[in-house]
Amino acid sequence: MRTGRRLRIVYRRSGAASARELVVDPYGLVQRGGRWYLVADRDGEPRLFALARLQRWAVLDDGRRLRDGADLAGTARELGDALERREHVTVTARVDAASLDIARRILGARLRAASDQGDDGRVEITVAYDQVDGVRQLLQFGEHIEVVAPEAARQLVERLAAGMARRHAR
């Protein structure tokens, strides 16, 4: 990136079964939510590429082609703001109060609110996702969480948990 050259990367998008080869114009690296990302333009559009899903890269001879006036800090801020605006589903859940600290670490900026501990030792949390399928992230809390709303999120968790129970039955 310091040489100002384009990169050829082999990258697997989240949820994709296989990686694709792409040519990108890099700005640099940023850390967001405890993960490192390559900030780059692809076909003139800014993108974040998770380093954990970057399989290979090679420096090309061509100089990078950045958008006029764009830099690493501004592009990273623009992409982060777009990610925050993209969320369309708010999930309400009840989590054991003892699990709240780890929920804060795992959910990061997706955790929008947490109530005071109730008489039952649980805390109501609000989590934002860009689609209802994001509720899968909450499965890692196992029996320490109950998804309350929306109903579509509750139904998805019920279906997924039933599938896991069937797979693990003796």
Side-chain angles (χ1 to χ4, degrees):
M1 286 173 267
R2 284 185 246 152
T3 64
R5 303 284 179 208
R6 299 184 101 188
L7 296 176
R8 180 178 319 280
I9 63 173
V10 177
Y11 184 75
R12 184 188 56 78
R13 291 184 63 153
S14 177
S18 59
R20 294 183 5 185
E21 187 174 278
L22 308 168
V23 173
V24 298
D25 299 296
Y27 290 93
L29 300 174
V30 296
Q31 187 178 35
R32 179 177 168 80
R35 296 182 179 165
W36 284 96
Y37 293 88
L38 168 67
V39 178
D41 285 347
R42 178 170 180 253
D43 298 327
E45 294 295 321
R47 296 267 311 273
L48 287 173
F49 298 93
L51 291 188
R53 293 193 307 269
L54 190 92
Q55 295 178 356
R56 289 188 310 276
W57 58 273
V59 178
L60 301 177
D61 291 332
D62 300 337
R64 65 181 172 198
R65 303 175 199 148
L66 303 179
R67 292 170 292 128
D68 286 340
D71 63 3
L72 175 61
T75 301
R77 188 172 37 259
E78 172 187 348
L79 290 165
D81 290 348
L83 285 173
E84 296 299 324
R85 286 190 310 271
R86 190 175 83 175
E87 296 164 343
H88 302 292
V89 177
T90 301
V91 174
T92 303
R94 293 168 38 91
V95 65
D96 294 347
S99 299
L100 186 57
D101 283 341
I102 195 161
R104 284 189 169 111
R105 285 193 304 272
I106 290 171
L107 299 172
R110 291 191 182 286
L111 180 62
R112 298 304 168 94
S115 70
D116 291 333
Q117 182 175 336
D119 294 337
D120 61 355
R122 303 185 97 195
V123 174
E124 187 170 284
I125 61 172
T126 304
V127 186
Y129 293 107
D130 62 341
Q131 56 188 355
V132 75
D133 198 53
V135 78
R136 292 171 182 266
Q137 181 184 34
L138 300 178
L139 291 175
Q140 64 190 303
F141 293 98
E143 72 274 10
H144 301 287
I145 196 164
E146 176 192 3
V147 173
V148 177
E151 186 58 28
R154 273 186 71 84
Q155 291 173 0
L156 177 57
V157 169
E158 180 182 6
R159 198 168 53 251
L160 294 169
M164 289 178 66
R166 280 191 307 276
R167 282 191 188 93
H168 292 89
R170 293 194 186 268

